[in-house]
Amino acid sequence: MDDHRTKVDLLKLLDDNHLTVAQGVSDRKNLLFVVGKSSAFKELEEFASCNADRANVKIDIVENMGLATDGPLYSAILSGFGSDDIVSCDFILLPTYTKLLTAGGTLIAKTELGTEDALMKRMKLCGFLNVVKSESVPGVVVGNMPTYKVGSSDKVTLNSETKENVVSAWKLDDNNSETISEDDLLEADDLIKPDSSSLRVCATTKKAKACKDCSCGLAEELEAANRPKDAPKPDTSNAKSSCGSCYLGDAFRCASCPYLGMPAFRPGEKVQLTGNLLQDDF
């Protein structure tokens, strides 16, 4: 894009967004031009001097935006309008623009053709409103800051009728209010205490039936419950471990192991606890 075309596009954008005033009017708006390289300074300085009676123009390099300490002074920021000069409006630069723009200020950003939608999305996420593509200049996106300042507040006033309705909605009248007893919400079945046997279920099958290769002890518990009371107890004096790992310690024992909690021992050795293990630590 040549210098003449750039100046024509800038005048179109400024007039379309009402950022210039007629000659002789003192109430000129403050505009900030952000360029990506210093070579774009010269052409924009010439444009600023030719239109000094219509707007107050300041030019700065994008590298200096991170050091900007100015408050919201600018009615509009025009980004990347030097010849062959594209300024990437990313999530680092856009928040800086929001701090420099006044309430209702305008951001006019030039981007590469085909990337307008991505820029519009970033501007919306940073709080810009009315974000649209420029109809007069291709590759340009325009957005506005909200008309209110950050941290501003306003008083909400209610007329007497509305205020009375709000108060009455939260007022409890003991004479008219109906209460429900919590006991009335319970059914007869809710008051019956469940049988403890019905609560014993397998963690795998979710039923009162042990799964295959049960290791949680439910199989032994169910077997003991179903065994007749007068049945003789099995002789375990010569019992041997089915897994062969009981003597190795708790890390190798199943959940129903009779040696659970005891120290490791040698096969055939009788487990004995020393005296200090039977004493309280406190």
Side-chain angles (χ1 to χ4, degrees):
M1 182 183 295
D2 55 20
D3 294 352
H4 177 71
R5 181 62 182 275
T6 301
K7 295 175 182 177
V8 172
D9 290 343
L10 285 174
L11 288 176
K12 286 182 180 179
L13 293 170
L14 294 177
D15 292 339
D16 292 345
N17 293 278
H18 310 288
L19 297 175
T20 56
V21 297
Q23 296 181 356
V25 178
S26 60
D27 189 15
R28 296 189 294 271
K29 296 184 178 181
N30 297 325
L31 309 180
L32 174 64
F33 283 82
V34 179
V35 296
K37 48 189 178 181
S38 57
S39 59
F41 254 87
K42 184 176 181 180
E43 59 183 89
L44 291 179
E45 284 179 350
E46 182 180 352
F47 175 83
S49 61
C50 295
N51 296 275
D53 55 346
R54 303 182 62 188
N56 298 324
V57 178
K58 179 182 178 180
I59 308 171
D60 207 344
I61 301 180
V62 67
E63 297 176 354
N64 298 333
M65 289 294 98
L67 306 175
T69 58
D70 299 338
L73 300 177
Y74 302 101
S75 301
I77 295 178
L78 293 91
S79 177
F81 279 92
S83 297
D84 300 327
D85 181 37
I86 297 295
V87 176
S88 177
C89 293
D90 52 20
F91 285 115
I92 298 177
L93 185 59
L94 287 175
T96 304
Y97 287 165
T98 61
K99 297 177 182 178
L100 297 175
L101 286 170
T102 58
T106 304
L107 172 62
I108 305 175
K110 188 177 73 170
T111 184
E112 296 180 0
L113 293 176
T115 63
E116 296 91 338
D117 292 337
L119 176 57
M120 292 175 63
K121 182 178 181 180
R122 290 195 296 268
M123 290 175 61
K124 291 178 181 179
L125 291 174
C126 290
F128 286 92
L129 306 177
N130 306 321
V131 181
V132 295
K133 299 179 185 178
S134 174
E135 297 180 355
S136 57
V137 181
V140 174
V141 178
V142 182
N144 298 103
M145 288 289 295
T147 55
Y148 54 85
K149 295 182 179 180
V150 177
S152 60
S153 61
D154 194 7
K155 184 179 180 181
V156 178
T157 56
L158 301 175
N159 56 42
S160 57
E161 181 179 356
T162 305
K163 185 177 180 180
E164 183 65 25
N165 294 336
V166 173
V167 174
S168 61
W170 294 96
K171 186 177 180 181
L172 295 178
D173 191 350
D174 295 336
N175 297 327
N176 298 326
S177 60
E178 296 182 1
T179 58
I180 301 176
S181 175
E182 297 177 354
D183 296 334
D184 296 340
L185 300 177
L186 299 176
E187 301 291 341
D189 296 339
D190 297 330
L191 302 176
I192 300 176
K193 185 177 181 180
D195 186 7
S196 59
S197 61
S198 64
L199 302 178
R200 294 181 301 185
V201 296
C202 178
T204 303
T205 62
K206 307 299 181 184
K207 298 179 181 179
K209 181 180 179 182
C211 62
K212 186 179 179 181
D213 300 329
C214 176
S215 60
C216 66
L218 180 60
E220 291 82 356
E221 186 177 354
L222 294 176
E223 182 181 356
N226 297 329
R227 185 185 302 131
K229 295 183 178 179
D230 55 351
K233 295 183 179 180
D235 183 14
T236 59
S237 58
N238 296 323
K240 295 183 179 180
S241 172
S242 60
C243 63
S245 302
C246 299
Y247 66 93
L248 296 176
D250 283 349
F252 301 91
R253 294 167 183 164
C254 57
S256 60
C257 182
Y259 297 101
L260 197 64
M262 296 184 181
F265 58 92
R266 296 178 181 177
E269 180 184 7
K270 184 178 179 181
V271 180
Q272 294 181 349
L273 300 178
T274 58
N276 60 348
L277 293 177
L278 301 176
Q279 297 178 357
D280 196 348
D281 294 335
F282 299 97

